Amino acid sequence: MTVAVLSALKLVFVAFLFVFVWQVAKAVAGHLGGLEARSRRSAGSEVVFVKSETQAGLDFRVSGAVVVGRSAQADVLLDDPYASEFHMRFAAEGDRLVLHDLGSTNGTYVNGRRVAATVTLNKGDAVQVGKTVMEVR
């Protein structure tokens, strides 16, 4: 191959490498921007464990989607023997916080009623899984 062809291939490789690094940086910045937006959200973005044998007082913020369950691979570990491995998902959708039961065996309850479909949560709502109760704040 000639020197000109090799130089052109090097430039193409550098351009692809630049685009890749730019996309990674953009994704990281978007994730960090989500963390900032999380702190700006007010009602319904924080969930607090109010009743639990081992987790009472702990809390987590919801930005994007957060999977809660007994599995170590869940975003938030739920220490309750009645919880499924991937029990439910909280999702921030615009200014709303919604809850999806992920086909759990023992069910998810909001304010004492079993969740059968996606539920929009409000500040003060109680979410129960087994013996664990969480509150939306």
Side-chain angles (χ1 to χ4, degrees):
M1 293 194 158
T2 66
V3 173
V5 172
L6 290 175
S7 295
L9 287 174
K10 286 179 187 177
L11 286 174
V12 169
F13 175 75
V14 168
F16 278 121
L17 186 61
F18 174 78
V19 169
F20 173 76
V21 170
W22 179 66
Q23 289 292 332
V24 168
K26 189 172 149 183
V28 168
H31 176 71
L32 292 177
L35 294 176
E36 291 171 10
R38 170 183 0 176
S39 65
R40 287 192 303 257
R41 283 180 52 100
S42 55
S45 64
E46 182 181 31
V47 179
V48 177
F49 289 91
V50 293
K51 181 181 174 191
S52 170
E53 292 179 8
T54 60
Q55 295 177 293
L58 298 178
D59 67 346
F60 59 94
R61 291 203 169 271
V62 179
S63 174
V66 175
V67 175
V68 179
R70 213 177 57 227
S71 172
Q73 295 171 334
D75 298 321
V76 174
L77 182 65
L78 186 55
D79 186 19
D80 191 305
Y82 297 100
S84 295
E85 288 190 0
F86 299 101
H87 196 94
M88 62 187 159
R89 179 178 62 238
F90 290 95
E93 296 179 357
D95 290 337
R96 302 180 318 144
L97 180 64
V98 296
L99 173 88
H100 309 270
D101 183 272
L102 298 176
S104 63
T105 303
N106 294 315
T108 304
Y109 296 81
V110 174
N111 299 327
R113 302 183 93 169
R114 188 169 182 151
V115 172
T118 300
V119 175
T120 300
L121 299 172
N122 298 303
K123 188 174 182 179
D125 282 347
V127 178
Q128 183 170 356
V129 174
K131 295 179 180 180
T132 303
V133 179
M134 294 162 269
E135 182 179 303
V136 178
R137 297 197 176 158

